[in-house]
Amino acid sequence: MKKIAILSGKGGTGKTSLSASLILAFCDRTKVTALDCDVESPNLNLLIKGQEVRSPEMVFVDYPRINEEKCNFCGRCARVCNFNAIVIMKKQKKTMIWDDLCHSCGACLELCPEKAIEMKPFSVGEVRFNQFQDTRIITGESDIGKMMPDPVISKVLSYVSDEGINIIDSPPGTSCPVVKSAVGADHAILVAEPSPFGIHDMKLAMELLEELKVRYSIMINKSSGNDSEIEKIAANSDVSILGTIPFDFKGAEYYSRGEIERYYEYFKVQIDQIAEALAKELSI
Ligand code: SF4
Ligand code: SF4
């Protein structure tokens, strides 16, 4: 079993089109499980168009709730909360909890002298299950307005298969959800585009992967034919470039219409070369 995380320093670089293309490139030779961890904007299954195979599973997080009839408004819970998620208004005898700030650590619950706090489960997202040929596609999606992607990502990753390869479509950027989805991967592919913003954000993602000690390589997307700056950065960091997909209107049109099979056929030479290089890297 191998876990491959597909990352990009910034959104819109082509991470999901590569994830979907790799599913098509590998699905005839090994068991593939695709895990969409871009839970704030999951679109891998929109491209692959797998059929739903079982009902979605909701993801819950426990948040504290204060029973004001038992509470003495001492403020201890607010003082122990490292995330300023609780406010106690002693004079008004009122309590407030901001779920978006709460990390469900349970410290307030443990330290309340009146046992006035209970943890209650609240939905923060769901996980959906689709199938494309023999490939399972596990998609996480955060509830709108909920800023709690990590528990949804953890639930998606609980479906990593111990057979074949797992393709993990990570969120863009370098924030905590990216760390969550990439940590422990056998290999990461950093999708980069040769624009000034693309190169800037690629360097940040490289620093992150080095910090996480995840082995990785770079794939250049939307190449104009002159990728010398990315090549120089990769060479200086001793990172290999798995392959290149050119900037091309026809390919972009297939992608924007969600026609991933045509996109794959159109760039088959380049994508198969990336898949081969990856297979060699991972000894698949
Ligand atoms: S620690 Fe308990 S008793 Fe004190 S303010 Fe918080 S909920 Fe109320
Ligand atoms: S569970 Fe932890 S993070 Fe949440 S309000 Fe209580 S102390 Fe703060």
Side-chain angles (χ1 to χ4, degrees), residues 6-33:
I6 315 290
L7 282 83
S8 64
K10 74 172 196 56
T13 305
K15 174 180 63 58
T16 305
S17 60
L18 178 68
S19 302
S21 301
L22 288 179
I23 294 172
L24 298 175
F26 278 113
C27 67
D28 287 337
R29 58 197 266 186
T30 184
K31 180 180 162 60
V32 180
T33 304

mmCIF file of all heavy atoms in Angstrom, residues 6-33:
data_model
loop_
_atom_site.group_PDB
_atom_site.id
_atom_site.type_symbol
_atom_site.label_atom_id
_atom_site.label_comp_id
_atom_site.label_asym_id
_atom_site.label_seq_id
_atom_site.Cartn_x
_atom_site.Cartn_y
_atom_site.Cartn_z
ATOM 1 N N ILE A 6 -1.275 14.758 -3.274
ATOM 2 C CA ILE A 6 -1.109 15.729 -4.368
ATOM 3 C C ILE A 6 -1.368 17.116 -3.770
ATOM 4 O O ILE A 6 -2.463 17.388 -3.263
ATOM 5 C CB ILE A 6 -2.128 15.460 -5.520
ATOM 6 C CG1 ILE A 6 -2.217 13.967 -5.863
ATOM 7 C CG2 ILE A 6 -1.790 16.311 -6.738
ATOM 8 C CD1 ILE A 6 -1.031 13.362 -6.529
ATOM 9 N N LEU A 7 -0.346 17.961 -3.835
ATOM 10 C CA LEU A 7 -0.425 19.290 -3.200
ATOM 11 C C LEU A 7 -0.177 20.388 -4.225
ATOM 12 O O LEU A 7 0.407 20.133 -5.283
ATOM 13 C CB LEU A 7 0.692 19.438 -2.158
ATOM 14 C CG LEU A 7 0.555 18.797 -0.806
ATOM 15 C CD1 LEU A 7 0.973 17.360 -0.880
ATOM 16 C CD2 LEU A 7 1.441 19.520 0.178
ATOM 17 N N SER A 8 -0.560 21.609 -3.835
ATOM 18 C CA SER A 8 -0.125 22.764 -4.632
ATOM 19 C C SER A 8 0.000 23.925 -3.671
ATOM 20 O O SER A 8 -0.754 24.003 -2.698
ATOM 21 C CB SER A 8 -1.125 23.088 -5.731
ATOM 22 O OG SER A 8 -2.339 23.470 -5.159
ATOM 23 N N GLY A 9 0.966 24.775 -3.920
ATOM 24 C CA GLY A 9 1.146 25.926 -3.039
ATOM 25 C C GLY A 9 -0.070 26.831 -3.062
ATOM 26 O O GLY A 9 -0.465 27.397 -2.061
ATOM 27 N N LYS A 10 -0.692 26.965 -4.235
ATOM 28 C CA LYS A 10 -1.861 27.851 -4.333
ATOM 29 C C LYS A 10 -2.996 27.154 -5.089
ATOM 30 O O LYS A 10 -2.745 26.182 -5.816
ATOM 31 C CB LYS A 10 -1.480 29.176 -4.988
ATOM 32 C CG LYS A 10 -1.246 29.119 -6.472
ATOM 33 C CD LYS A 10 -1.067 30.529 -6.988
ATOM 34 C CE LYS A 10 -1.212 30.630 -8.498
ATOM 35 N NZ LYS A 10 -2.439 30.140 -9.079
ATOM 36 N N GLY A 11 -4.193 27.673 -4.902
ATOM 37 C CA GLY A 11 -5.363 27.100 -5.570
ATOM 38 C C GLY A 11 -5.307 27.366 -7.075
ATOM 39 O O GLY A 11 -4.626 28.286 -7.534
ATOM 40 N N GLY A 12 -5.975 26.537 -7.852
ATOM 41 C CA GLY A 12 -6.077 26.750 -9.298
ATOM 42 C C GLY A 12 -4.848 26.318 -10.072
ATOM 43 O O GLY A 12 -4.697 26.646 -11.253
ATOM 44 N N THR A 13 -3.959 25.564 -9.432
ATOM 45 C CA THR A 13 -2.718 25.169 -10.101
ATOM 46 C C THR A 13 -2.884 23.908 -10.946
ATOM 47 O O THR A 13 -2.123 23.683 -11.886
ATOM 48 C CB THR A 13 -1.599 24.974 -9.043
ATOM 49 O OG1 THR A 13 -1.516 26.174 -8.294
ATOM 50 C CG2 THR A 13 -0.259 24.703 -9.650
ATOM 51 N N GLY A 14 -3.881 23.101 -10.581
ATOM 52 C CA GLY A 14 -4.131 21.892 -11.380
ATOM 53 C C GLY A 14 -3.952 20.612 -10.581
ATOM 54 O O GLY A 14 -3.744 19.545 -11.149
ATOM 55 N N LYS A 15 -4.063 20.744 -9.269
ATOM 56 C CA LYS A 15 -3.877 19.616 -8.364
ATOM 57 C C LYS A 15 -4.954 18.543 -8.598
ATOM 58 O O LYS A 15 -4.660 17.357 -8.706
ATOM 59 C CB LYS A 15 -3.957 20.225 -6.961
ATOM 60 C CG LYS A 15 -3.951 19.376 -5.813
ATOM 61 C CD LYS A 15 -4.031 20.250 -4.564
ATOM 62 C CE LYS A 15 -5.288 21.065 -4.433
ATOM 63 N NZ LYS A 15 -6.528 20.327 -4.425
ATOM 64 N N THR A 16 -6.201 18.984 -8.707
ATOM 65 C CA THR A 16 -7.282 17.997 -8.832
ATOM 66 C C THR A 16 -7.299 17.368 -10.221
ATOM 67 O O THR A 16 -7.614 16.183 -10.360
ATOM 68 C CB THR A 16 -8.642 18.654 -8.494
ATOM 69 O OG1 THR A 16 -8.518 19.229 -7.195
ATOM 70 C CG2 THR A 16 -9.765 17.631 -8.467
ATOM 71 N N SER A 17 -6.931 18.134 -11.257
ATOM 72 C CA SER A 17 -6.891 17.517 -12.594
ATOM 73 C C SER A 17 -5.784 16.469 -12.632
ATOM 74 O O SER A 17 -5.941 15.423 -13.264
ATOM 75 C CB SER A 17 -6.725 18.563 -13.703
ATOM 76 O OG SER A 17 -5.539 19.284 -13.527
ATOM 77 N N LEU A 18 -4.679 16.696 -11.894
ATOM 78 C CA LEU A 18 -3.631 15.670 -11.853
ATOM 79 C C LEU A 18 -4.113 14.454 -11.061
ATOM 80 O O LEU A 18 -3.928 13.312 -11.492
ATOM 81 C CB LEU A 18 -2.337 16.219 -11.227
ATOM 82 C CG LEU A 18 -1.239 15.165 -11.126
ATOM 83 C CD1 LEU A 18 -0.719 14.756 -12.517
ATOM 84 C CD2 LEU A 18 -0.075 15.617 -10.265
ATOM 85 N N SER A 19 -4.774 14.692 -9.913
ATOM 86 C CA SER A 19 -5.296 13.567 -9.105
ATOM 87 C C SER A 19 -6.222 12.713 -9.963
ATOM 88 O O SER A 19 -6.098 11.480 -9.996
ATOM 89 C CB SER A 19 -6.080 14.078 -7.891
ATOM 90 O OG SER A 19 -5.282 14.887 -7.079
ATOM 91 N N ALA A 20 -7.167 13.368 -10.664
ATOM 92 C CA ALA A 20 -8.134 12.626 -11.485
ATOM 93 C C ALA A 20 -7.425 11.894 -12.619
ATOM 94 O O ALA A 20 -7.744 10.739 -12.934
ATOM 95 C CB ALA A 20 -9.177 13.604 -12.033
ATOM 96 N N SER A 21 -6.436 12.552 -13.231
ATOM 97 C CA SER A 21 -5.709 11.927 -14.347
ATOM 98 C C SER A 21 -4.916 10.716 -13.866
ATOM 99 O O SER A 21 -4.825 9.701 -14.562
ATOM 100 C CB SER A 21 -4.749 12.922 -14.992
ATOM 101 O OG SER A 21 -5.459 14.031 -15.454
ATOM 102 N N LEU A 22 -4.354 10.814 -12.649
ATOM 103 C CA LEU A 22 -3.588 9.674 -12.128
ATOM 104 C C LEU A 22 -4.503 8.492 -11.810
ATOM 105 O O LEU A 22 -4.106 7.338 -11.946
ATOM 106 C CB LEU A 22 -2.788 10.083 -10.882
ATOM 107 C CG LEU A 22 -1.580 10.984 -11.144
ATOM 108 C CD1 LEU A 22 -0.877 11.353 -9.848
ATOM 109 C CD2 LEU A 22 -0.581 10.327 -12.114
ATOM 110 N N ILE A 23 -5.737 8.793 -11.408
ATOM 111 C CA ILE A 23 -6.709 7.694 -11.207
ATOM 112 C C ILE A 23 -6.866 6.951 -12.535
ATOM 113 O O ILE A 23 -6.793 5.721 -12.598
ATOM 114 C CB ILE A 23 -8.079 8.236 -10.725
ATOM 115 C CG1 ILE A 23 -7.953 8.843 -9.333
ATOM 116 C CG2 ILE A 23 -9.137 7.128 -10.744
ATOM 117 C CD1 ILE A 23 -9.203 9.568 -8.859
ATOM 118 N N LEU A 24 -7.051 7.722 -13.619
ATOM 119 C CA LEU A 24 -7.253 7.094 -14.941
ATOM 120 C C LEU A 24 -5.988 6.358 -15.395
ATOM 121 O O LEU A 24 -6.068 5.295 -16.005
ATOM 122 C CB LEU A 24 -7.643 8.152 -15.978
ATOM 123 C CG LEU A 24 -8.965 8.875 -15.684
ATOM 124 C CD1 LEU A 24 -9.202 9.981 -16.700
ATOM 125 C CD2 LEU A 24 -10.138 7.909 -15.698
ATOM 126 N N ALA A 25 -4.836 6.903 -15.064
ATOM 127 C CA ALA A 25 -3.583 6.278 -15.502
ATOM 128 C C ALA A 25 -3.286 4.982 -14.740
ATOM 129 O O ALA A 25 -2.674 4.074 -15.281
ATOM 130 C CB ALA A 25 -2.422 7.267 -15.329
ATOM 131 N N PHE A 26 -3.732 4.919 -13.468
ATOM 132 C CA PHE A 26 -3.360 3.756 -12.644
ATOM 133 C C PHE A 26 -4.472 2.720 -12.503
ATOM 134 O O PHE A 26 -4.191 1.600 -12.084
ATOM 135 C CB PHE A 26 -2.956 4.211 -11.235
ATOM 136 C CG PHE A 26 -1.537 4.702 -11.131
ATOM 137 C CD1 PHE A 26 -1.242 6.025 -10.859
ATOM 138 C CD2 PHE A 26 -0.475 3.814 -11.299
ATOM 139 C CE1 PHE A 26 0.061 6.470 -10.763
ATOM 140 C CE2 PHE A 26 0.841 4.243 -11.203
ATOM 141 C CZ PHE A 26 1.112 5.574 -10.936
ATOM 142 N N CYS A 27 -5.720 3.103 -12.810
ATOM 143 C CA CYS A 27 -6.826 2.222 -12.400
ATOM 144 C C CYS A 27 -6.811 0.857 -13.094
ATOM 145 O O CYS A 27 -7.376 -0.094 -12.578
ATOM 146 C CB CYS A 27 -8.180 2.919 -12.521
ATOM 147 S SG CYS A 27 -8.658 3.293 -14.179
ATOM 148 N N ASP A 28 -6.138 0.753 -14.258
ATOM 149 C CA ASP A 28 -6.096 -0.560 -14.922
ATOM 150 C C ASP A 28 -4.955 -1.438 -14.409
ATOM 151 O O ASP A 28 -4.899 -2.606 -14.729
ATOM 152 C CB ASP A 28 -5.917 -0.378 -16.444
ATOM 153 C CG ASP A 28 -7.196 0.129 -17.065
ATOM 154 O OD1 ASP A 28 -8.260 -0.076 -16.458
ATOM 155 O OD2 ASP A 28 -7.110 0.751 -18.147
ATOM 156 N N ARG A 29 -4.020 -0.860 -13.659
ATOM 157 C CA ARG A 29 -2.866 -1.676 -13.251
ATOM 158 C C ARG A 29 -2.793 -1.982 -11.772
ATOM 159 O O ARG A 29 -2.089 -2.903 -11.371
ATOM 160 C CB ARG A 29 -1.550 -1.049 -13.726
ATOM 161 C CG ARG A 29 -1.315 0.362 -13.209
ATOM 162 C CD ARG A 29 -0.262 1.056 -14.021
ATOM 163 N NE ARG A 29 1.057 0.921 -13.425
ATOM 164 C CZ ARG A 29 2.131 1.544 -13.897
ATOM 165 N NH1 ARG A 29 2.029 2.311 -14.973
ATOM 166 N NH2 ARG A 29 3.294 1.410 -13.318
ATOM 167 N N THR A 30 -3.539 -1.229 -10.945
ATOM 168 C CA THR A 30 -3.528 -1.516 -9.497
ATOM 169 C C THR A 30 -4.827 -1.006 -8.879
ATOM 170 O O THR A 30 -5.561 -0.239 -9.503
ATOM 171 C CB THR A 30 -2.296 -0.868 -8.813
ATOM 172 O OG1 THR A 30 -2.273 -1.253 -7.451
ATOM 173 C CG2 THR A 30 -2.305 0.638 -8.882
ATOM 174 N N LYS A 31 -5.069 -1.428 -7.654
ATOM 175 C CA LYS A 31 -6.263 -0.924 -6.960
ATOM 176 C C LYS A 31 -5.985 0.528 -6.552
ATOM 177 O O LYS A 31 -4.937 0.821 -5.972
ATOM 178 C CB LYS A 31 -6.523 -1.780 -5.718
ATOM 179 C CG LYS A 31 -7.744 -1.343 -4.931
ATOM 180 C CD LYS A 31 -7.933 -2.243 -3.722
ATOM 181 C CE LYS A 31 -8.832 -1.633 -2.674
ATOM 182 N NZ LYS A 31 -10.164 -1.326 -3.100
ATOM 183 N N VAL A 32 -6.924 1.411 -6.888
ATOM 184 C CA VAL A 32 -6.738 2.828 -6.560
ATOM 185 C C VAL A 32 -7.858 3.266 -5.615
ATOM 186 O O VAL A 32 -9.031 2.958 -5.851
ATOM 187 C CB VAL A 32 -6.777 3.706 -7.832
ATOM 188 C CG1 VAL A 32 -6.591 5.186 -7.477
ATOM 189 C CG2 VAL A 32 -5.715 3.280 -8.830
ATOM 190 N N THR A 33 -7.475 3.971 -4.561
ATOM 191 C CA THR A 33 -8.472 4.621 -3.696
ATOM 192 C C THR A 33 -8.161 6.108 -3.738
ATOM 193 O O THR A 33 -7.008 6.506 -3.534
ATOM 194 C CB THR A 33 -8.368 4.095 -2.236
ATOM 195 O OG1 THR A 33 -8.515 2.676 -2.267
ATOM 196 C CG2 THR A 33 -9.443 4.699 -1.351
#
